[in-house]
Amino acid sequence: MKKKITILLIFISLNISSQSFFNTYKKGTLHMRDGSDLRGLLKLSSGNKIKFKKTKKDKKQTFDYKEVSRVKFLFEEEFLYKINIKSKRHLLIKRVVKGKLNLYSLISYNPGLLMGNPGSPVIGASSQTIYYVGKENSDYIEVLPSIDKKKFIKILSKQTSDCQEFLNMIKDKENIEYFFEKKESESERDFIKKDSRIEQMINYYNSHCN
């Protein structure tokens, strides 16, 4: 029971952390499409918009993809405006891996419910990571399905078609499991963390397929 409560608390903590960019202003830089930069206090807002203040006392301004190309929080995450190639919608999305092929992610945490009776389990606790991939300097990104889906290999192969060595490594699930190790959980935090093999694959491609 104690371990289950610990896991629940970690989920709640991560949920709060994942929403922190939406709840509070943080120091950062807006990289504008005209080549200029705006430094000040930033907060991500609903509708893929950004709220900006030069100082705490200043009136807030609201920006979107029409003016901004990239957002970088001081010592923290970087978010870019990219276009979902399928829906044609602009998304403000976090860059996970930077290189010839970029990996982006959207993460949603659901802490679930803890039943009131002693010994009751955590109900509905879950996390979901949605990955996207896109070529360097491209405005477009494509959803990368879960690694256990057949379409995963199809889409990743299309994005990495210039590297036969890599294509051989991801030609089927058995090869992926052989070449890219699935991290085993060593703590409650690792229990929550998404399988890291996708990041391993993108990093390998960027390092070996120049």
Side-chain angles (χ1 to χ4, degrees), residues 5-205:
I5 293 175
T6 301
I7 294 174
L8 176 63
L9 291 175
I10 293 172
F11 269 111
I12 294 173
S13 175
L14 288 172
N15 187 46
I16 292 172
S17 175
S18 68
Q19 297 299 321
S20 63
F21 294 108
F22 294 87
N23 295 332
T24 59
Y25 282 93
K26 292 190 174 186
K27 291 182 180 180
T29 302
L30 295 180
H31 297 272
M32 313 302 287
R33 294 195 181 276
D34 63 5
S36 63
D37 293 338
L38 284 178
R39 293 180 176 84
L41 300 173
L42 313 176
K43 181 170 70 170
L44 304 188
S45 182
S46 59
N48 292 304
K49 295 184 178 182
I50 308 155
K51 293 181 180 179
F52 172 82
K53 289 182 179 183
K54 186 67 176 178
T55 68
K56 289 183 179 180
K57 296 180 180 179
D58 290 333
K59 184 178 180 181
K60 69 181 178 183
Q61 303 176 60
T62 302
F63 295 96
D64 62 14
Y65 68 90
K66 296 175 184 176
E67 301 93 5
V68 176
S69 62
R70 180 165 59 97
V71 180
K72 180 66 172 69
F73 288 93
L74 187 63
F75 306 122
E76 296 185 35
E77 282 92 341
E78 178 184 40
F79 294 79
L80 294 85
Y81 276 112
K82 294 295 177 179
I83 303 171
N84 184 330
I85 197 169
K86 185 175 182 179
S87 68
K88 309 303 181 186
R89 290 184 59 227
H90 284 82
L91 299 176
L92 185 57
I93 190 166
K94 185 175 78 171
R95 179 153 58 188
V96 179
V97 175
K98 181 179 180 180
K100 182 179 178 181
L101 184 64
N102 286 319
L103 179 68
Y104 305 90
S105 71
L106 291 175
I107 303 177
S108 175
Y109 295 100
N110 177 12
L113 299 174
L114 180 64
M115 304 303 290
N117 296 327
S120 296
V122 176
I123 305 298
S126 63
S127 66
Q128 181 182 21
T129 301
I130 304 172
Y131 284 108
Y132 293 78
V133 286
K135 294 289 188 179
E136 184 180 20
N137 300 324
S138 173
D139 288 331
Y140 293 91
I141 56 175
E142 186 172 11
V143 174
L144 193 59
S146 174
I147 201 168
D148 58 351
K149 303 293 184 182
K150 290 183 178 179
K151 202 172 180 181
F152 173 85
I153 295 176
K154 180 180 178 180
I155 291 177
L156 189 56
S157 296
K158 179 178 68 175
Q159 292 284 345
T160 59
S161 60
D162 61 338
C163 186
Q164 188 59 50
E165 175 194 354
F166 185 76
L167 293 178
N168 292 338
M169 296 172 71
I170 63 166
K171 65 181 181 180
D172 53 44
K173 291 182 180 179
E174 289 73 19
N175 266 31
I176 290 175
E177 290 175 358
Y178 177 80
F179 288 108
F180 301 99
E181 181 181 359
K182 182 176 180 181
K183 183 178 180 181
E184 296 296 333
S185 296
E186 297 176 352
S187 66
E188 283 83 358
R189 186 169 293 276
D190 286 335
F191 169 80
I192 294 169
K193 187 175 180 180
K194 180 76 175 179
D195 182 348
S196 63
R197 282 183 295 175
I198 294 175
E199 293 182 32
Q200 290 180 42
M201 283 184 270
I202 303 302
N203 279 319
Y204 185 93
Y205 171 79

